[in-house]
Amino acid sequence: MSKPGLPQGTRDFSAAVVRKRQYIFNTIRTVFERYGFQPLETPAMENLDTLMGKYGEEGDKLIFKILNNGLDNPAKHDAATADFEKVLQGKNTKGITERALRYDLTIPFARYVAMNHGQLTMPFKRYQVQPVWRADRPQKGRYREFYQCDADVVGSYSLLNEVELANIYATVFAQLGVRVEIRINSRKILAALAEICGGADKMTDITIAVDKLDKIGIEKVKEELIQRGLNTQQVATIETYLHIEGDNAGKINQLRSLLGNNTTGQKGIEEIEYLLSFSQLTNNNSPLTTDFTLARGLNYYTGIIFEVKALDVQMGSIGGGGRYDDLTGLFGVPNVPGVGISFGVDRIYDVMEELQLFPDAVQAGTRVLFFNLGDAESKAAFVLMQQLREKGIAAELYHENSKFDKQFKYAEKKQIPFAVIIGSKELETGTCVVRQLSDGQQQTIPQSALAGRSF
Amino acid sequence: MSKPGLPQGTRDFSAAVVRKRQYIFNTIRTVFERYGFQPLETPAMENLDTLMGKYGEEGDKLIFKILNNGLDNPAKHDAATADFEKVLQGKNTKGITERALRYDLTIPFARYVAMNHGQLTMPFKRYQVQPVWRADRPQKGRYREFYQCDADVVGSYSLLNEVELANIYATVFAQLGVRVEIRINSRKILAALAEICGGADKMTDITIAVDKLDKIGIEKVKEELIQRGLNTQQVATIETYLHIEGDNAGKINQLRSLLGNNTTGQKGIEEIEYLLSFSQLTNNNSPLTTDFTLARGLNYYTGIIFEVKALDVQMGSIGGGGRYDDLTGLFGVPNVPGVGISFGVDRIYDVMEELQLFPDAVQAGTRVLFFNLGDAESKAAFVLMQQLREKGIAAELYHENSKFDKQFKYAEKKQIPFAVIIGSKELETGTCVVRQLSDGQQQTIPQSALAGRSF
């Protein structure tokens, strides 16, 4: 028998970690609900058809596929052998695998919207907090099984949705105590930049290069742009663009003079200004920051894009999202626009851990340990314990009649703050000893007064 | 492009269902916590080694295995082809699959305890609420992906643990409003029955037959016992045993005279009496019922066994569990006894739905819809809306300036109870109209008074 282990890139979460993660999830969920978003849960397994071809060639390779059951049925051998040949060619065949683990929450959501389109009240606002699986090479901070935490609005072109999502970001991070910068840009502004630099068909080249700015620096970006066929003048314009800086108003002014009267650019600037105007309504110290270098490589974004960075820790983005024009077209339901955001829960956890932002109360486990000092004593303790539990106080009775030491040790290891002790003397007099374990202070009180006490 | 669908036996949960399910989960979790149990989460994927051979031959076949990634790497073709031959023989090979989806929560828990044995405070009380996957044929009430909800105590032989678990059942179902019978038996009593009927080696035969009583009736059970090699006199004794009835005390008396001075039987009866004595301490109307026909086919139970049945709906058991003597032996850590219970959440959901036991408040979605009647109006609405949200009230601003009708319709479909309307007149006078949508009652109040109002 080999020593048991975990698959690479997966984790067990023990109580302390579960509680901290729940604290993050609950904070986010509560805000989602307050903004009128409704929960959705989809199955971990999707039909392979639903997922394949949605994440690009690289993504497809990272999908965990489920082996069909019953392949040992002799009647299926020949077909299965032939099908397996295709798997070796990198093709998927229903004979070997027809289901897979979801890779993200967006495609299952699109599948859900496509399937239930007629019944949904539009605009449809859903949130979803569930694990996803990716066969990525595991490394620090990258797992094969991890949670995503998404909110999307579909069926509306209104920018008010972007306003709301930006506010959700601001509210959640304020509640978690994480200082952030919510970077915003519009893909329309990037499109305008392409239009004035070589034409709209250069949009993808420019976006891909600009998206690497943080990682490779401006010189390498310029090199890449040249390689991608832009001329020196165009690259100079892009460099000017990338050097735009100042406060939000200042940056918008510089951008406006660079883009001139390009219509797409003007629309993009209007979007940004709309967001900022709402942000200023209720927040004197808005975390919204325009960042025209923000590109988010994905091709499906068409309008506002978001990215959230923690201010006090060096870390990749802890949130991101944007507007897309066609969520469900791939599933046969066209013209469903949407906008969504995602929280990077694992990174948020790391940030909060590093900054020690988890409140102590998150770890609230058992408050009171009743000592077990014999049969009759434990029955008296049991009755009192049930009274505390009915009042919502987490309590335990030590599982057996052991030495004081052992019972104290248990309380200490589980960080239980109070012990209630009923020995033969207390049993006789109807009293109990309440001991505060941090400082050893204790008092004897009537058993009838215990449930009225605070713990 | 084919119409999107879901894999057989899996489900989407829309908002109303998620909320009801969360209500069940939260009720159970809160009680677990109050009893000193701590949360654990394990990954959906386990090493195939960890799972295989733990659920019997039939169980093994129902495990969903994950196809290895990268099989299209030409360097691996020959090995993969040879390995696939073995899959066709019903064997698992690491070349094709080395991971699988968890089949239950018990084996991953055992794996966790075995891996972390030295660090855990014993007795270790954990609860776990996570989905499991089984390639069972889907049918009404049976899914391929469903949640389990378990609490276990390991590292203690004390019967106080059984007392606690029985109380958890009673408390949870009382809080959910589901009237239940918590059936208890001890495998020691079944062992004693075997000892007086043909010897201890007949234990499995007797248990398997008795376990079918509910499904096939007493005559068929008798037939099966004969087939399994018991003689008429032994079957007669078992029939007497199966006919034991009355209240708890009456049943115990009959059992005592049937089992005579069999030592194993006396131990079993002591266990039952211990549980009942605690149950009576705090509960005048205890749902604990002795049921000596309760067998729970699984071989690993050794002491008290539990089964919960709803009283007001015809339905299979909605909970079950028992004591086992060796949780982690399979993983190289011997002598870890334990006892656990499980809640059948899908069935509990069905029972509560049928009896209409979900409180209306479970569905608390958005409370207030702010109408959108123009740019300036919506900005005023937005500021007020943020005040309500800060007070914890879920609120939305309609996404665009539409006709009244359309906005009312949205509120109606989403069952939002209140509308707040700010038109040009209200904007001028600093007021707003608050309308209760159930009866159309409305009043005009100053905007400054809105956040002080209750919704």
Side-chain angles (χ1 to χ4, degrees), chain A residues 185-196 199-201 203 241 255-256 258-273 292 301-304 325:
Chain A
N185 193 10
S186 170
R187 292 283 284 221
K188 295 195 175 79
I189 291 169
L190 289 159
L193 178 68
E195 285 170 19
I196 65 167
D201 61 316
M203 167 90 178
Y241 175 91
L255 181 69
R256 219 188 286 272
L258 184 71
L259 296 181
N261 51 9
N262 179 290
T263 322
T264 316
Q266 283 169 350
K267 274 194 202 146
I269 292 173
E270 272 170 33
E271 288 179 359
I272 298 281
E273 287 185 322
F292 302 122
Y301 288 125
T302 54
I304 291 287
D325 267 353

Side-chain angles (χ1 to χ4, degrees), chain B residues 128-199:
Chain B
Q128 194 167 351
V129 181
Q130 291 192 286
V132 302
W133 292 267
R134 295 183 184 181
D136 247 325
R137 188 179 300 275
Q139 59 183 54
K140 189 176 179 306
R142 192 203 280 162
Y143 304 99
R144 289 186 156 174
E145 173 171 341
F146 59 96
Y147 267 73
Q148 288 194 338
C149 195
D150 287 15
D152 288 80
V153 188
V154 295
S156 166
Y157 290 98
S158 167
L159 270 172
L160 265 177
N161 299 304
E162 279 85 335
V163 169
E164 292 279 81
L165 293 171
N167 268 294
I168 286 178
Y169 267 144
T171 309
V172 165
F173 287 111
Q175 288 194 6
L176 292 176
V178 178
R179 295 202 317 129
V180 295
E181 185 173 85
I182 302 168
R183 299 181 183 174
I184 55 169
N185 194 10
S186 169
R187 293 283 285 219
K188 294 196 175 78
I189 291 169
L190 289 160
L193 178 67
E195 285 170 19
I196 65 166
C197 292

